[in-house]
Amino acid sequence: MTTVALLGTGIMGAGMGHNILAAGLDLRVWNRTAAKAQPLADAGAALHTDPADAVRGADVVVTMLGDADDVTAVLEQAAGGLAPGQVWLQTTTVGVEPFDGLRAIAGRHGLTLLDAPVLGTRAPAESGQLVVFVAGDPAARPVVDPVLDAVGRQTVWVAEDNTTAQASRLKLVANSWVLAITAATGESVALAQGLGVDPQAFLDAVAGGPLDLPYLQNKAKAILDDDFTPSFTVDNAAKDAGLIVAAAEASGTRLDVAPAVRDRLRRASERGHGGDDMAAAYKASEITGR
């Protein structure tokens, strides 16, 4: 049986962990706040308070944390339990340049590092419907495929090595689209309200046509219902927007929308919505900041 160590059981990691268990894999879990991992322990996972204990003897180490700094810190804590030959499935969105630091960690410990960010939010994570982009040694596939099959509906192998972080690059492109749609949805609803137009009239006007998207309808409904239960938080979205801007600048690509979206998300966070769903970026359009 494949043994998996999952480091990080937040919104995304929790759903992934339950699907790993449902696939019949042996799961150990660690989270900075242990209480967040308790539901996985109740479902059959082994809960560890030390990441080194969680990874010791595991076939696959999965990291689903906040950012590259978090991943680095946790892997340093786990160092005593790591061993050459383990497969490290790095699913956190860390961007392009920061991935180099993670590759160095893998090299020091003899780990097979797979650059494997996931596309999706809470619901796809919980239902095992994530899309996983993977760049890395294909020789690791027999070990890691059971994990990828458990957490996702599709695995896209984009490169046979991780040297240029091709999976992370693709994830940033996909996220630039998601964040742009999210911002446009919030602005359209806010503009309708500001102009005295029923936002539902706008949604009905585009419904079923080429300008419609299920995502538009879902996020607009959340805004109109004032329900910002997080599927992916404002703060995480702002972090990803910052990674997109940094990667574009490093490549010599000028972006206009992504920096604006980043600033909009940061403004929503400053107004107290950092832990809300990223649809709460809509709040950045409120002049009063209420």
Side-chain angles (χ1 to χ4, degrees):
M1 181 185 297
T2 301
T3 300
V4 182
L6 173 62
L7 307 179
T9 61
I11 290 176
M12 299 294 292
M16 293 166 64
H18 281 292
N19 284 301
I20 290 169
L21 283 172
L25 306 180
D26 181 25
L27 180 64
R28 298 105 165 262
V29 295
W30 172 88
N31 195 71
R32 183 174 290 106
T33 303
K36 291 185 178 181
Q38 189 59 48
L40 285 167
D42 295 341
L47 175 58
H48 293 271
T49 57
D50 184 345
D53 291 335
V55 304
R56 188 171 287 110
D59 300 300
V60 180
V61 176
V62 181
T63 46
M64 175 50 83
L65 299 158
D67 57 23
D69 289 341
D70 291 334
V71 176
T72 298
V74 172
L75 262 289
E76 289 175 350
Q77 295 176 53
L82 297 172
Q86 287 177 307
V87 177
W88 177 10
L89 189 68
Q90 203 307 103
T91 64
T92 310
T93 300
V94 298
V96 177
E97 188 274 334
F99 186 78
D100 290 340
L102 305 187
R103 190 164 51 245
I105 293 172
R108 288 198 297 271
H109 295 285
L111 308 177
T112 299
L113 173 58
L114 299 181
D115 175 25
V118 301
L119 183 61
T121 55
R122 181 197 293 267
E126 291 178 343
S127 60
Q129 295 296 299
L130 296 169
V131 176
V132 189
F133 303 136
V134 188
D137 188 350
R141 290 191 63 163
V143 177
V144 79
D145 273 349
V147 183
L148 295 171
D149 291 344
V151 303
R153 66 175 175 83
Q154 182 182 10
T155 299
V156 181
W157 286 82
V158 298
E160 294 189 350
D161 63 67
N162 62 34
T163 56
T164 56
Q166 286 299 311
S168 284
R169 292 170 186 266
L170 177 57
K171 176 63 190 300
L172 294 184
V173 174
N175 272 13
S176 71
W177 173 238
V178 173
L179 296 179
I181 297 171
T182 304
T185 299
E187 285 202 347
S188 295
V189 171
L191 179 62
Q193 293 170 330
L195 297 179
V197 173
D198 181 358
Q200 191 60 51
F202 155 64
L203 296 171
D204 291 344
V206 300
L211 300 180
D212 194 16
L213 288 171
Y215 190 87
L216 161 66
Q217 299 290 341
N218 290 339
K219 290 303 183 186
K221 184 177 188 302
I223 292 169
L224 296 176
D225 290 347
D226 199 33
D227 180 4
F228 299 111
T229 303
S231 290
F232 194 75
T233 68
V234 165
D235 281 346
N236 277 328
K239 179 266 293 186
D240 286 358
L243 293 174
I244 291 164
V245 172
E249 289 176 348
S251 72
T253 304
R254 176 174 174 172
L255 300 181
D256 295 307
V257 173
V261 172
R262 176 201 58 194
D263 294 346
R264 182 176 175 81
L265 288 160
R266 289 175 177 174
R267 191 163 70 250
S269 181
E270 290 167 359
R271 294 181 176 186
H273 301 286
D276 292 338
D277 186 77
M278 60 182 173
Y282 154 82
K283 297 290 186 178
S285 287
E286 295 179 345
I287 299 301
T288 62
R290 65 184 182 275

